[in-house]
Amino acid sequence: MIVPGASQQTLTDRDPCMPNETIVRVQRASAAISIEQLTQLATLYYVDGQTQDELSRRFAISRATIGRMLKRAQELGIVEIRVQHHPTHTVDLERELIQRFGISRALLSIDHKDADKQRALLAGIVANYLDRTLSAGAIVAVGMGRNVSAVSDYAISVTPRNCTFVCAIGGSYRGGETMNPDHICRRLAARFGGESETLYAPAMVGDPEVRRALAENDTVRQTLDKARRADMALVGIGDVSEESNIVRMGWFSAQEITEAKRTGTVGDIMGYDFIDIHGQPAMTPIQGRVVGLQSRDLRRIPNVIAIAAENSKVTAILGALRTGLIDTLATTATNAMAVLSLDEATR
């Protein structure tokens, strides 16, 4: 391992009598250490099992510096640490969700009080599931939202799959990279291997007639047709509130959302298919203004994975499960218990 600023001397070859000032210079140079060197150090520690003391002696730098370098490797994404909860914590809940709602599987994460860390925990479980199940050449229809985006951040695969990740909904400049399906598709393609396909249309239009006209456009129709042939769909479940993403992005006003709630709307699937608590299409004016796949399209896809980490989405999750569109539900253990209780109370 070469340290910049150390006269190209390898740390492993350092003279035991090296003066203290030289050691200080080496330690300071570690702050500018390269990605390759951090990767080597992280590999020795996390894969080969060498201790920080062993690494400190091997490279003649302090144990504290080793710790800082390992932390830096995490910050740069060289190292990703995941906590795999033991399945016995959630297996009963998963079984009950499957039996109650007729889904194929449930992916449940442990709970965390921090919303971002909660989202990350669930995203890691979904990413691991994709790594186990994605087959070579598969087509994956991709929705939008923070939960779907988080999956692309935590996806890791050493086996290229040559998959196609295709946008199942149009884009929105207000959403930024984390929200746009185009960027999510690109990240998934980079992580799993393959290509991404953009839906060249706005996610949101002001008039259902405009949406229908866009859906008939040759370019838009070809992409949506490919999404309809998907082997798997990765979508989010949204709640209906004045603080939701669809309000923050300017798709709908807070007043429109308030009116939708009064008519019984409890949530959405994939950002626009609004539903009531019984899983029926919501009778609201905000319906039918987003360009993308519709419920009947999702019904044809063999494995629709719906993700919701937030505890504010319990009612929306229940409505989504009652649509019969979901094959795989990914949520938290607490959400699962709440959904089951709410289902008992609202049958």
Side-chain angles (χ1 to χ4, degrees):
M1 179 184 287
I2 307 298
V3 174
S7 303
Q8 300 302 310
Q9 180 183 23
T10 61
L11 294 178
T12 51
D13 296 332
R14 184 183 71 82
D15 186 341
C17 297
M18 179 182 289
N20 288 338
E21 60 267 25
T22 304
I23 296 176
V24 170
R25 189 173 72 250
V26 170
Q27 291 173 339
R28 287 175 178 172
S30 68
I33 199 165
S34 71
I35 296 294
E36 291 76 14
Q37 293 161 343
L38 285 175
T39 302
Q40 179 188 4
L41 185 72
T43 301
L44 290 170
Y45 182 72
Y46 290 104
V47 178
D48 296 342
Q50 294 195 21
T51 66
Q52 293 189 26
D53 286 334
E54 290 171 335
L55 293 173
S56 176
R57 290 193 297 271
R58 175 171 180 170
F59 298 119
I61 54 181
S62 72
R63 189 178 183 279
T65 300
I66 292 290
R68 287 193 294 271
M69 291 163 67
L70 291 171
K71 182 178 180 181
R72 182 60 177 159
Q74 292 184 43
E75 293 170 348
L76 293 175
I78 297 170
V79 175
E80 290 189 354
I81 299 175
R82 297 179 183 173
V83 177
Q84 298 288 349
H85 67 277
H86 197 279
T88 55
H89 291 306
T90 56
V91 66
D92 292 336
L93 281 173
E94 291 170 357
R95 186 184 299 114
E96 189 167 357
L97 285 168
I98 291 169
Q99 293 174 348
R100 183 83 61 90
F101 299 105
I103 59 177
S104 299
R105 66 195 60 80
L107 307 174
L108 302 184
S109 75
I110 57 176
D111 294 275
H112 198 287
K113 62 182 179 180
D114 182 272
D116 291 332
K117 291 180 179 178
Q118 177 66 81
R119 193 175 298 111
L121 284 170
L122 186 59
I125 291 174
V126 176
N128 185 51
Y129 170 73
L130 290 176
D131 189 37
R132 297 196 315 268
T133 58
L134 264 181
S135 58
I139 299 175
V140 183
V142 180
M144 68 187 308
R146 289 178 295 179
N147 287 296
V148 177
S149 180
V151 174
S152 68
D153 292 332
Y154 287 88
I156 300 176
S157 179
V158 296
T159 306
R161 312 301 174 90
N162 194 30
C163 296
T164 299
F165 297 90
V166 56
C167 296
I169 185 175
S172 172
Y173 75 92
R174 292 174 177 171
E177 290 190 8
T178 58
M179 293 292 292
N180 264 304
D182 173 63
H183 295 283
I184 299 172
C185 283
R186 291 176 188 273
R187 288 198 299 269
L188 287 169
R191 296 297 184 104
F192 287 111
E195 60 184 16
S196 63
E197 183 167 333
T198 301
L199 178 59
Y200 291 103
M204 176 69 183
V205 294
D207 188 333
E209 290 299 325
V210 175
R211 186 198 64 80
R212 279 190 282 270
L214 280 171
E216 291 303 316
N217 176 273
D218 285 344
T219 301
V220 174
R221 187 175 65 249
Q222 287 179 21
T223 300
L224 286 178
D225 282 346
K226 181 172 287 188
R228 292 182 181 104
R229 299 195 304 272
D231 304 284
M232 185 179 292
L234 195 62
V235 304
I237 297 174
D239 58 340
V240 177
S241 76
E242 292 76 5
E243 304 298 324
S244 63
N245 287 324
I246 54 179
V247 174
R248 285 199 295 267
M249 289 191 298
W251 286 14
F252 306 105
S253 67
Q255 182 178 356
E256 287 178 306
I257 294 299
T258 299
E259 290 298 324
K261 290 165 64 175
R262 287 175 182 168
T263 63
T265 307
V266 299
D268 66 78
I269 299 177
M270 204 158 54
Y272 61 88
D273 238 334
F274 294 97
I275 53 177
D276 64 20
I277 196 171
H278 305 293
Q280 297 301 311
M283 297 296 103
T284 170
I286 67 176
Q287 195 83 276
R289 290 160 54 184
V290 176
V291 181
L293 296 185
Q294 299 179 351
S295 295
R296 61 176 179 270
D297 301 317
L298 290 179
R299 203 173 297 279
R300 300 189 188 105
I301 296 175
N303 187 5
V304 175
I305 305 169
I307 315 167
E310 298 81 1
N311 57 17
S312 62
K313 296 183 176 180
V314 170
T315 308
I317 294 170
L318 176 58
L321 284 168
R322 287 173 169 176
T323 65
L325 300 175
I326 295 174
D327 301 283
T328 301
L329 173 67
T331 190
T332 67
T334 296
N335 280 353
M337 289 186 286
V339 166
L340 290 166
S341 298
L342 185 60
D343 178 59
E344 288 283 356
T346 59
R347 281 185 181 180

